[in-house]
Amino acid sequence: FYFIAAVPFVGDGAKLVRKLAASEVANVVKAVGKTAMKSFDDIALNPIALYGKNKSEVAEILGSGWTEGVYGSAGGGWKYTNGDKSVFYHPGEGVHGGSYYGYSSAALGKVKIVDPATYVPTVGDRATIIYLP
């Protein structure tokens, strides 16, 4: 049983994608839970820790300079943007089924953090998908 993790390299914006065993993911989740996220870069380095955060918690992580908006075709989700960067939440019930969190930037592309039990991938979705354990 494997999960895919996308870990950005610092500097050039390239991504390393590799398979993590379930035990490795559990260790990552435990470690991330103990680490306070304080910026967009922290979210990109610990994407699983974004899952489950509410709008005000994400706003606090990002700090000033971010603009709040709606996300999703029905407008039920939320997002924060700053230049080419965004952090978002979709409540589900659309083409992807379940809810998901994510972030994007020109350097990293779009990344979604999803529950494999509820998320339905679609053909043509170019986002990097990170499955929760």
Side-chain angles (χ1 to χ4, degrees), residues 2-126:
Y2 290 95
F3 297 93
I4 301 295
V7 182
F9 283 106
V10 175
D12 66 359
K15 291 182 284 189
L16 166 69
V17 178
R18 70 178 186 93
K19 290 183 178 180
L20 296 177
S23 61
E24 290 180 285
V25 172
N27 289 337
V28 168
V29 170
K30 287 177 191 172
V32 166
K34 297 176 185 175
T35 305
M37 293 193 301
K38 298 178 182 173
S39 68
F40 178 85
D41 290 340
D42 288 345
I43 291 171
L45 290 172
N46 300 302
I48 291 175
L50 177 62
Y51 199 90
K53 299 277 189 249
N54 64 42
K55 186 167 47 170
S56 61
E57 289 171 323
V58 172
E60 187 174 327
I61 291 166
L62 296 172
S64 62
W66 291 77
T67 303
E68 182 181 331
V70 296
Y71 184 79
S73 59
W78 48 260
K79 68 180 177 179
Y80 288 97
T81 57
N82 185 343
D84 73 337
K85 297 176 183 175
S86 70
V87 178
F88 52 86
Y89 165 75
H90 191 287
E93 301 305 322
V95 296
H96 294 298
S99 64
Y100 60 89
Y101 290 76
Y103 61 92
S104 67
S105 74
L108 300 174
K110 188 174 192 176
V111 177
K112 295 178 183 176
I113 303 95
V114 307
D115 181 341
T118 61
Y119 183 81
V120 179
T122 58
V123 175
D125 188 349
R126 294 178 299 208

